[in-house]
């Protein structure tokens, strides 16, 4: 049965249907498809032929052209000789004996009939061998009939593939699919002859065999194209049919299919009946028998052949025939069903595998996402912690009172040819400078609280400084000073581009925008003014004025080099409306003159002198910083006006920020490194926690009471002859009291006599602001006391009280109405200033000399270091050239002493100062003063009640000689009792 089936299915049902449909009048034959199929078949055939020729050699394959037609291919292989020889080459011994020709010596002429036996033996042996190897086979009859070479080609290409597998070191059993058994079996014959099955087997089992990919895909495409061609044919047949005609047409087609099928089976059986019988019987083929019995494997074949003979010898009965056909079809159908099922299973498994992989992929993707999320979270946490650390660090720094240090790198200026920067990189608070070879090639890193790169804008800079500036509004004393070599951008940072406008400001006006101060009349002293302002533009105007007045000069390094230090001091006072607490803060904004190498700046003459003095004062600043950093008991503040000026900020409990500037040019690297080193040292200085300057309402009231009491006492004490008292008694008294009275004098005395304690750091209490009160008693005294009154209502002064006692003590002992003075150093020689107030200052300076010579001959012993020039307020002042500085020294060293006088008993000086006061009436064409100030000054020639320059003296020039001293002055003298 199996044998029958094997013989019957040398063609497929599909083929038959296709043929029938075509015969039925296929009008839409797909020519393109056909030609493509033909082309593909030719190319595969050529490939097979080429490989065969190559393998057996061109001589042996002389019957096979390189690119044969289908007919040539079939004829070339018909003898089976080439096939057997090729197989033996690929797999030696696969065909033990190859029958070369009926007579080996006399080649058979082309086209001459070879015996059927010879054909059969060679081809059969070949087919058995290839089947053993698990390759697709073909039917021997395929070489007899035209149009059947496709399977032969497939077989040859499979053999080629096998050969290549072996050549590439293929080992073990080469299998054409996992289902094919190495042994020949009946079943395998059935499969061999069932083309659809072979196709499906190839497709299923050889999927994983690399060498058969081409083949299997080809077969697959054949099948698909057959299916599509079938459906095209069916559609074409039914296209012009009416629906009612369709069943008839289908029936007729099916009948024809059945007919054709029967016809083909019959002809095939006929052929089979004829050929084996002829071969086996008429020629007594021993070799076949031998072949059949030589091997156990071949027994099956032998048996099969014999069975086939038996079947063929039986007469055909048409019933049996149709039954057999049906059975065959059924078998084929079943097989196809199984194949389909198998395919479905495979598809299902593949789908399941895909789903599993997809699920895995999603899972892994999800895990990856989680992981990335975790990392991002950790990263943000890390940044948060970093930020928190930075804040905490800054808080610790604040608590320690460390000087904050910010660094800013100037960008290259337009017109600079080379833009190679020495700044390697900037990150957070770190800056790395690359040092060129002459400084020892390498890098140096520095850490600061903040570093601004060349692209940082003024707004960015300010936003970072804002909290510090806001502190001034909260009652802290704040100092920001810009440091750096000449041309590094200090002035730019502090004031913005040249001419200030509200839009384009530096730090000063920015900070001023935070608050508009109270409106007071101003007191103008040349070059050091206290001017009430009511808006930001007021401040900007003042700053521009100050900027214009500032000494600048062109050097080789900066065409507008500042040749002086500049300081803007802003006093701020506020009152908490609910608690009545008064907060007072002040802010110094100091733009230092730049340090410079004189050979680089190429300055000469006056400029050179300036440079030397600038450098000297900066070096004094360095010494102060150094002492503070080492916590030395002695800090040499008094070595320069600059350090005296900054003493409050460097030594008191102010919040201090040094803004260090560097230039990016390689030839400035030396200065850059030393600037940064200096800044690093500054950062180590600890000043102690800053304290807010605050007076509660109670304290205020108590101060007022004390002031009244002291005023009363002063009136009583003032009864004796003032002159006598002033010359002897008061000077005694003064001396006696001075040791305790003025914080400032006390400071001087300590410095001179007791080892310069005042030079050590002062707590903010000592240098802090003391509230100013409008004392009714004071105001009532005289109308000519305008200036006094003005000052009383003026904002309080920043740190002065440097006597070594703390602020609380000051509060209690000094009492209300106490003036707190501000260290002010005029840029120019005050003696040369011609404004009434300036003259006043100068004259009072002289006055002080006179007074000391006359009344306090030994005061220099007591107060040898007195050098502050104390003025009330002032917005901007400068420390400049040597000469000027010397002048200032001269002026200021005298100036503080009269303050004592003023405190001591200014009424007694009235007679003596009157004459001097008259001298102040010299006109001063250069003076800049407000009408009110002028009026005030002329009216009273009242000096600032600062302790410098005998301000009090100036005031009392206009007072009646008997007028009791203002209570605050008395208190100054007596408050240390
Ligand atoms: N951040 C900046 N952006 C743009 N230009 C800047 C910047 N900083 C400085 N400059 C420019 O660099 C030049 C020098 O700056 P500036 O005068 O501020 O330096 P300086 O340190 O104050 O110098 P000196 O100590 O000699 O007075 C100026 O032309 C200024 O406009």
């Amino acid at each position: 049965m199996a044998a029958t089936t094997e013989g019957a299915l040398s063609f497929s049902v599909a083929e038959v249907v296709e043929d029938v449909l075509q015969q039925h009048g296929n009008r839409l034959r797909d020519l393109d498809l056909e030609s493509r199929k033909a082309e593909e078949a030719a190319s595969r055939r050529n490939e097979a032929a080429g490989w065969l020729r190559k393998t057996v050699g061109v001589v042996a394959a002389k019957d096979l052209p390189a690119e044969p037609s289908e007919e040539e291919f079939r004829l070339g292989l018909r003898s089976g000789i080439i096939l057997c020889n090729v197989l033996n080459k690929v797999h030696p011994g696969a065909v033990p004996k190859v029958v070369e020709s009926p007579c080996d010596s006399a080649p058979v002429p082309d086209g001459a009939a070879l015996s059927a036996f010879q054909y059969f033996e060679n081809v059969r042996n070949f087919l058995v061998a290839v089947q053993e190897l698990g390759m697709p086979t073909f039917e021997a009859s395929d070489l007899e009939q035209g149009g059947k070479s496709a399977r032969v080609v497939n077989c040859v290409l499979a053999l080629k593939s096998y050969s290549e597998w072996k050549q590439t070191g293929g080992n073990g059993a080469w299998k054409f699919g996992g289902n094919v058994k190495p042994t020949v079996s009946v079943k395998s014959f059935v499969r061999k002859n069932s083309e659809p099955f072979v196709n499906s087997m190839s497709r299923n089992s050889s999927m994983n065999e690399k060498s058969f990919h081409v083949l299997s895909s080809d077969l697959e495409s054949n099948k698909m194209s057959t299916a599509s061609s079938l459906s095209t044919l069916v559609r074409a047949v039914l296209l012009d049919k009416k629906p009612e005609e369709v069943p008839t047409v289908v029936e007729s087609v099916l009948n024809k299919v059945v007919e054709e099928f029967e016809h083909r089976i019959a002809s095939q059986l006929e052929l089979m009946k004829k050929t084996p019988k002829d071969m086996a019987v008429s020629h007594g083929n021993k070799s076949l028998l031998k072949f059949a019995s030589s091997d156990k494997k071949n027994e099956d074949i032998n048996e099969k052949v014999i069975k086939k003979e038996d079947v063929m010898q039986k007469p055909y009965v048409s019933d049996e025939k149709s039954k057999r056909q049906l059975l065959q079809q059924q078998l084929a159908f079943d097989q196809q069903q199984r194949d389909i099922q198998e395919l479905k299973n495979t598809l299902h498994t593949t789908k399941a595998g895909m789903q599993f992989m997809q699920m895995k992929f999603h899972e892994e993707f999800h895990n990856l996402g989680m992981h990335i999320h975790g990392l991002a979270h950790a990263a943000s946490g890390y940044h948060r912690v970093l930020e928190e650390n930075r804040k905490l660090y800054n808080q610790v720094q604040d608590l320690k009172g460390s000087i904050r240090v910010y660094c800013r790198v100037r960008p290259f200026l337009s017109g600079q040819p080379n833009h190679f920067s020495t700044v390697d990189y900037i990150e957070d608070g770190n800056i790395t400078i690359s040092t060129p070879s002459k400084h020892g090639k390498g890098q140096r890193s520095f850490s600061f609280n903040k570093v601004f790169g060349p692209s940082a804008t003024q707004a960015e800079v300010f936003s970072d400084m804002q909290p510090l500036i806001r502190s001034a509004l909260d009652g802290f004393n704040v100092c920001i000073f810009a440091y750096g070599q000449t041309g590094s951008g200090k002035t730019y940072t502090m004031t913005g581009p040249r001419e200030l406008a509200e839009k384009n400001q530096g730090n000063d006006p920015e900070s001023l925008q935070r608050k508009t101060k109270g409106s007071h009349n101003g007191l103008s002293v040349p070059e050091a003014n206290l001017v009430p302002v009511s808006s930001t533009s007021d401040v900007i105007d003042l700053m521009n004025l100050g900027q214009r007045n500032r000494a600048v000069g062109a050097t080789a390094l900066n065409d507008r080099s500042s040749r002086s230090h500049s300081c803007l001091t802003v006093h701020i006072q506020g009152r908490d409306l609910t608690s009545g607490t008064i907060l007072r803060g002040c802010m110094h904004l100091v733009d230092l003159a730049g340090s410079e190498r004189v050979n680089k700046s190429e300055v000469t003459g006056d400029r050179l002198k300036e440079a030397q003095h600038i450098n000297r004062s900066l070096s004094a600043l360095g010494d102060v910083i150094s002492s503070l950093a080492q916590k030395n008991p002695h800090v040499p503040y008094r070595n320069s006006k600059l350090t005296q000026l900054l003493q409050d900020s460097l030594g008191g409990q102010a919040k201090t920020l040094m803004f260090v500037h560097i230039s990016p040019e390689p030839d400035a690297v030396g200065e850059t490194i030393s600037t940064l080193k200096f800044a690093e040292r500054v950062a180590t200085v600890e000043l102690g926690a800053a304290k807010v300057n605050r007076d509660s309402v109670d304290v205020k009231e108590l101060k007022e009471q004390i002031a009244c009491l002291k005023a009363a006492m002063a009136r009583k004490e003032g009864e004796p002859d003032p002159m006598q008292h002033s010359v002897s008694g008061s000077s005694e008294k003064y001396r006696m009291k001075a040791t305790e009275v003025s914080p400032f004098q006390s400071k001087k005395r300590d410095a001179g006599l007791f080892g310069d304690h005042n030079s050590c750091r002062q707590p903010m209490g000592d240098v802090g602001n003391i509230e100013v009160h409008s004392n009714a008693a004071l105001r009532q005294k005289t109308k000519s006391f305008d200036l006094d009154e003005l000052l009383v209502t003026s904002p309080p002064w920043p740190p002065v009280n440097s006597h070594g006692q703390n602020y609380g003590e000051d509060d209690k002992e000094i009492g209300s109405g106490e003036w707190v003075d501000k260290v002010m150093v005029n840029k120019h020689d005050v003696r040369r200033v011609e404004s009434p107030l300036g003259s006043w200052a100068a004259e009072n300076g002289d006055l002080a000399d006179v007074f000391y010579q006359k009344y306090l001959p030994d005061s220099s012993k007591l107060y040898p270091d007195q050098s502050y020039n104390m003025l009330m307020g002032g917005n901007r002042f400068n420390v400049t050239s040597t000469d000027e500085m010397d002048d200032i020294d001269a002026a200021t060293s005298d100036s503080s002493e009269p303050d004592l006088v003023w405190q001591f008993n200014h009424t007694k000086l009235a007679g003596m100062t009157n004459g001097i006061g008259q001298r102040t009436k010299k006109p001063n064409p250069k003076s800049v003063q407000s009408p009110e100030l002028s009026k005030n000054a002329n009216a009273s020639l009242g000096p600032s009640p600062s302790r410098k320059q005998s301000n009090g003296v100036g005031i009392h020039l206009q007072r009646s000689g008997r007028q009791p001293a203002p209570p605050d002055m008395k208190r100054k003298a007596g408050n240390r009792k």
Side-chain angles (χ1 to χ4, degrees), residues 183-184 291-302:
T183 52
V184 176
F291 165 72
S293 60
S294 63
D295 189 349
K296 187 166 186 327
K297 288 186 284 181
N298 292 337
E299 279 176 19
D300 289 341
I301 300 170
N302 195 20

Side-chain angles (χ1 to χ4, degrees), residues 408 410-411 413 485-492 498 558 561-562 594:
R408 188 176 190 184
R410 172 172 62 66
L413 302 176
Q485 79 169 113
T486 183
S488 56
K490 299 180 292 297
T491 308
Y492 188 95
R498 298 209 172 142
N558 187 359
S561 177
S562 308

Side-chain angles (χ1 to χ4, degrees), residues 245-256:
E245 292 174 0
V246 170
T248 325
V249 175
V250 169
E251 196 184 345
S252 110
V253 168
L254 282 178
N255 281 338
K256 280 193 180 152

Side-chain angles (χ1 to χ4, degrees), residues 191-263:
R191 285 181 178 175
K192 179 184 77 173
N193 290 318
S194 168
E195 191 177 273
F197 181 79
V198 169
N199 287 346
S200 78
M201 183 179 73
S202 305
R203 189 176 58 246
N204 292 337
S205 58
S206 65
M207 292 261 188
N208 297 329
E209 295 287 345
K210 195 177 165 194
S211 55
F212 278 88
H213 276 175
V214 177
L215 176 62
S216 94
S217 65
D218 190 61
L219 294 173
E220 179 75 13
S221 78
N222 278 349
K223 188 182 175 192
M224 280 172 66
S225 64
T226 307
S228 87
S229 131
L230 263 182
S231 71
T232 312
L233 286 169
V234 169
R235 256 188 257 124
V237 167
L238 299 178
L239 189 67
D240 53 352
K241 302 287 181 293
K242 293 177 187 159
E244 60 271 19
E245 292 174 0
V246 170
T248 325
V249 175
V250 169
E251 196 184 345
S252 110
V253 168
L254 282 178
N255 281 338
K256 280 193 180 152
V257 167
V258 172
E259 256 176 47
E260 178 66 23
F261 207 82
E262 283 175 0
H263 173 72

Side-chain angles (χ1 to χ4, degrees), residues 755-797:
D756 200 12
H757 289 309
N758 64 305
S759 300
C760 303
R761 275 178 46 210
Q762 301 297 314
M764 183 50 80
D766 301 340
V767 293
N769 304 331
I770 301 170
E771 189 181 352
V772 177
H773 295 281
S774 300
N775 188 310
L778 268 177
R779 291 208 189 119
Q780 285 161 9
K781 278 182 280 181
T782 174
K783 282 204 168 185
S784 68
F785 211 63
D786 289 356
L787 185 61
D788 219 6
E789 190 173 317
L790 164 76
L791 293 170
V792 165
T793 54
S794 292
W797 287 106

Side-chain angles (χ1 to χ4, degrees), residues 408-413 453-458 461 482-498 550-553 555 557-564 591-596 614 661 663:
R408 188 176 190 184
V409 183
R410 172 172 62 66
F412 282 96
L413 302 176
S455 55
T457 61
Q458 292 293 92
V461 171
Y483 180 89
Q485 79 169 113
T486 183
S488 56
K490 299 180 292 297
T491 308
Y492 188 95
T493 294
M494 298 306 279
T495 62
R498 298 209 172 142
R550 193 178 182 189
V552 290
T555 68
L557 299 174
N558 187 359
D559 60 347
R560 273 182 67 85
S561 177
S562 308
R563 311 307 294 169
S564 60
D591 177 9
L592 298 173
S595 59
E596 65 188 54
I614 288 167
H661 293 76
S663 307

